[in-house]
Amino acid sequence: MSTPSSRPLSPHLQVYRFSMLMAMSIIHRITGTGLYFGFALFAWWLIAAATGHQAYEVFYSYAGSIVGRLVLFAATWGLFHHMFGGIRHLIWDTGAGLAVPAAKNIARVCIILPLLLTIGVWVVGYCVK
């Protein structure tokens, strides 16, 4: 008969040190889930635009509010972040960028570029108005 071990049967959170790559994985999953709500908002916009002026005014009053703009900003960032996370995984699928330094560099790019693109889209959106 074997003696019980005090160590966990499988690695768990207390075994691993939190890293940027771990954070990127978690954020990628969160943005993927958040995109569901972003596309629901997009569907609401399309339905409101197709329904008529009164329905569109209801949508516009929400989207034009501070909360609505924050949600739209977060949805824009989530879309870009999730897209770059997918590109990162495609790069890894080719076998490139798997070494830890390269993976960290790709993760840095996947943090900075989506934020810059989101800000750029919103700046252009306000300037075109």
Side-chain angles (χ1 to χ4, degrees):
M1 187 173 241
S2 66
T3 60
S5 174
S6 63
R7 62 185 187 149
L9 296 176
S10 63
H12 201 265
L13 294 177
Q14 61 267 58
V15 175
Y16 294 112
R17 201 176 81 239
F18 193 76
S19 69
M20 182 172 42
L21 296 175
M22 189 184 297
M24 290 296 295
S25 176
I26 293 167
I27 293 170
H28 185 75
R29 292 165 200 265
I30 291 170
T31 57
T33 304
L35 286 177
Y36 172 80
F37 298 104
F39 280 110
L41 195 64
F42 180 67
W44 180 21
W45 173 66
L46 288 176
I47 291 167
T51 303
H53 182 71
Q54 188 177 12
Y56 191 78
E57 284 297 321
V58 171
F59 171 80
Y60 189 75
S61 67
Y62 170 75
S65 70
I66 298 293
V67 172
R69 289 178 190 221
L70 285 173
V71 169
L72 290 170
F73 185 85
T76 307
W77 172 78
L79 180 65
F80 282 129
H81 190 279
H82 199 75
M83 179 184 74
F84 276 94
I87 291 170
R88 176 174 62 121
H89 282 277
L90 286 174
I91 291 169
W92 286 348
D93 286 345
T94 67
L98 293 174
V100 175
K104 285 183 179 180
N105 287 335
I106 293 171
R108 285 185 191 100
V109 168
C110 289
I111 290 171
I112 295 168
L113 238 61
L115 188 58
L116 292 176
L117 283 171
T118 301
I119 292 169
V121 164
W122 278 74
V123 166
V124 168
Y126 275 108
C127 289
V128 170
K129 212 180 196 186

